[in-house]
Amino acid sequence: MDSRAAVATAEALSVSFAELAAVLRGGPEAAGFGDADPLRRVADAFLDGLAEISRLDAKSAALKVWLAAGYSAAAEALAGPSASPQDHTGQEMAVVAEVACVLTVSERAASALLAEAHQLTTALPLTLSALQAGTISWQHARIMVDETVNLDPAGAQALEAHFLDPDVANPARGFAGELIPGRFRHKARTWRERHHPVSIEKRHTKSAADRRLEYAPDRDGMAWLSTYLPADQAAGIWDRTTTAARALQGPHEGRTLSQLRADTTAAWLLGGTGDQAGIDGGSVAAGVPSPRAQVLVTVPLLSLLGVTDEPAMLDGYGPIPPSMARQLIAVGAESFHRVLIDPRDGAPLEIGRTSYRLTKAQRQWLRLRDGKCPFPGCSNHSLDNEADHLLAWAYGGSTGISNLGQPCHKHHRLRHTTAWTPTTASKNEPPGWISPSGRHYTSEHPDWEPPHWPANIPMAGTGTSTSPGSFLDVHPELDLDLDLDLDLDLDLDLDKSMPPPES
């Protein structure tokens, strides 16, 4: 983009904003609508306007990136070569200060913008192009920059191609711009962890040395207490606290779930019996139960055997070192349910037998299929997500996986009290949604991918079979008596005579 193109882009943005505002002010006639259902058309015009504003915001951000990178390069050329490291640092500080003043932002924000602009214009061409086209937001672009930090050029290009190039091998199931930024960060970070050139074991060992507890005073007599912990410990603490808090809810309990979590945690950490006063004058009941968490750990079979270093997946968190998953399984941690995945395609293979009751297995299969509440943008991984018939039981709907969703309480209520409607699902595909305005929104799909098959591991038989059974034939010393049933029927469609889950 040269200076003339930048000026033209800025002028086009101004015209677009002006035209959009005129259409919205003029109502349905200005938008070229007929007289059929004018109120609906007015509402649609505002929704279309919001979508267009989002695209214009992205294009404006792309222009800001180009201008910031251009100014930085021009200022460096004007200053000439630095005589010393101190001079170089001084020149960088001067550029940051200038950008901060012209944008009326802090120097920290200006420094971040310049760093992001440099990364986007030099190392992430697909991301910058998508931002210029308005198909991703500025938040998405910043996440891409953040998740490619410390990756080599090939790794950075592979990450952005996975989410932005539909022609790449094994592209992401869903364009980056279709995900809210928080969910995109989760998926980008998961992919980065899986494909990072340094094994997750080495990175985890280094990061675990930085574990710590932090305390930060806040306003109104409050403070923040946060802990940087290994993921399995943090996930277990969160789920255990949530379970205990939910057990305390009832018709005579006035505290919210968040307040109950905080009060329960404080009672446990302070070594009390659970009767400390709550925020609103209530109290945690004496003898607060200490329930176990219920966390799924999805482990590649060869990783569980110690043959590869592929990360396992901790439900509600993301990739964890395989040693952590093996430890959870080896010690028989009852709170963590093992799920093996097929070395051939990455699909779930079986759910740990220690908790294999049909109704519980079905609920866990829904968690595996959807990963979270299937409503677009929702990140609720709670065990309290509610099984819901897509086609109502009263109208002949089955209680099979393909006719079930597992929305959180909020979006379950939205489905039954408004015109929001879930679309069909399958054993491997969560339901999408249709809004009251008739717009279709796809649900986020978990990205399964085939585990890595080591090149030095021979396979029994002919062809390209990569079955665990063949592998153990060649390596019987690694047969850990995993009680595998590779022919397990995972359809899990229940007979209609079974009691249906809540709807």
Side-chain angles (χ1 to χ4, degrees):
M1 182 186 292
D2 57 25
S3 58
R4 286 173 296 180
V7 171
T9 300
E11 291 176 348
L13 286 173
S14 299
V15 172
S16 297
F17 277 115
E19 290 178 345
L20 180 60
V23 168
L24 294 179
R25 282 196 302 267
E29 293 77 12
F33 296 141
D35 56 357
D37 198 2
L39 188 57
R40 166 54 59 191
R41 294 183 180 276
V42 169
D44 285 341
F46 280 107
L47 284 175
D48 292 340
L50 286 172
E52 183 60 27
I53 284 291
S54 179
R55 288 187 286 270
L56 293 174
D57 283 346
K59 294 177 182 180
S60 178
L63 182 58
K64 182 184 288 187
V65 163
W66 182 84
L67 293 170
Y71 170 71
S72 178
E76 182 179 354
L78 285 171
S82 302
S84 66
Q86 292 79 7
D87 287 342
H88 180 71
T89 300
Q91 291 173 11
E92 288 184 338
M93 291 174 62
V95 170
V96 169
E98 187 76 53
V99 172
C101 288
V102 77
L103 294 178
T104 320
V105 298
S106 69
E107 292 190 18
R108 181 177 180 179
S111 178
L113 171 63
L114 287 166
E116 290 157 350
H118 176 76
Q119 183 76 352
L120 286 167
T121 55
T122 61
L124 299 173
L126 291 179
T127 306
L128 182 58
S129 295
L131 189 64
Q132 290 171 334
T135 55
I136 65 171
S137 71
W138 173 233
Q139 293 99 312
H140 290 84
R142 294 188 70 186
I143 290 168
M144 187 69 79
V145 170
D146 191 35
E147 295 302 327
T148 54
V149 168
N150 299 328
L151 289 179
D152 57 24
Q157 291 170 12
L159 195 156
E160 72 164 355
H162 178 71
F163 289 99
L164 297 174
D165 184 357
D167 298 323
V168 73
N170 190 30
R173 301 178 67 186
F175 186 73
E178 297 173 352
L179 302 171
I180 65 169
R183 294 305 306 166
F184 173 58
R185 180 183 293 279
H186 172 77
K187 299 196 80 167
R189 182 164 295 172
T190 297
W191 195 91
R192 177 184 183 273
E193 296 287 5
R194 286 172 171 167
H195 298 272
H196 201 289
V198 180
S199 77
I200 192 171
E201 288 288 358
K202 293 180 179 178
R203 289 180 284 121
H204 172 70
T205 299
K206 181 179 178 181
S207 296
D210 295 329
R211 61 190 181 278
R212 60 190 179 272
L213 178 69
E214 294 183 348
Y215 168 75
D218 205 348
R219 297 181 297 273
D220 305 323
M222 302 297 289
W224 291 99
L225 192 68
S226 57
T227 309
Y228 184 58
L229 288 172
D232 59 335
Q233 296 178 18
I237 290 170
W238 174 258
D239 280 5
R240 180 179 173 186
T241 305
T242 299
T243 303
R246 287 210 179 277
L248 294 172
Q249 288 185 311
H252 303 296
E253 175 56 70
R255 286 169 293 173
T256 66
L257 181 62
S258 294
Q259 291 171 338
L260 285 167
R261 280 197 195 102
D263 294 347
T264 301
T265 302
W268 287 347
L269 289 178
L270 292 173
T273 59
D275 57 356
Q276 283 82 356
I279 296 298
D280 62 351
S283 64
V284 181
V288 172
S290 180
R292 296 186 179 276
Q294 299 291 315
V295 184
L296 295 180
V297 182
T298 307
V299 193
L301 178 60
L302 297 184
S303 183
L304 178 63
L305 295 173
V307 178
T308 68
D309 284 331
E310 287 184 274
M313 294 293 291
L314 183 65
D315 182 49
Y317 171 77
I320 60 173
S323 62
M324 182 182 293
R326 289 193 291 268
Q327 176 68 14
L328 290 172
I329 294 170
V331 300
E334 297 177 13
S335 299
F336 295 84
H337 298 298
R338 179 195 69 197
V339 180
L340 298 182
I341 60 174
D342 195 324
R344 293 163 291 191
D345 57 12
L349 191 62
E350 62 109 3
I351 295 174
R353 303 293 193 187
T354 58
S355 64
Y356 198 88
R357 293 203 310 267
L358 190 57
T359 54
K360 180 178 287 187
Q362 185 181 45
R363 184 178 292 277
Q364 292 179 348
W365 184 260
L366 284 173
R367 292 172 62 194
L368 285 171
R369 185 194 69 182
D370 301 354
K372 60 179 189 64
C373 168
F375 193 85
C378 183
S379 299
N380 194 331
H381 288 270
S382 170
L383 282 168
D384 293 314
N385 283 356
E386 301 164 354
D388 178 43
H389 287 85
L390 303 179
L391 176 61
W393 176 266
Y395 294 102
S398 72
T399 313
I401 295 298
S402 59
N403 189 49
L404 289 175
Q406 52 121 27
C408 64
H409 179 71
K410 172 184 175 182
H411 293 117
H412 194 183
R413 187 170 68 250
L414 181 78
R415 181 261 168 99
H416 287 292
T417 58
T418 73
W420 278 92
T421 307
T423 63
T424 56
S426 71
K427 291 188 295 182
N428 299 319
E429 302 279 341
W433 290 79
I434 302 175
S435 74
S437 68
R439 287 168 168 78
H440 288 249
Y441 298 94
T442 59
S443 179
E444 180 184 333
H445 294 67
D447 280 327
W448 293 343
E449 58 181 75
H452 173 66
W453 186 268
N456 62 336
I457 300 296
M459 303 177 193
T462 59
T464 58
S465 171
T466 59
S467 70
S470 299
F471 172 80
L472 293 176
D473 288 341
V474 179
H475 297 275
E477 72 278 6
L478 293 178
D479 188 349
L480 300 184
D481 189 21
L482 294 177
D483 188 26
L484 293 180
D485 178 8
L486 301 185
D487 295 322
L488 179 67
D489 180 10
L490 290 177
D491 192 355
L492 297 181
D493 282 338
L494 299 180
D495 187 90
K496 285 190 178 182
S497 63
M498 296 288 290
E502 63 273 24
S503 292

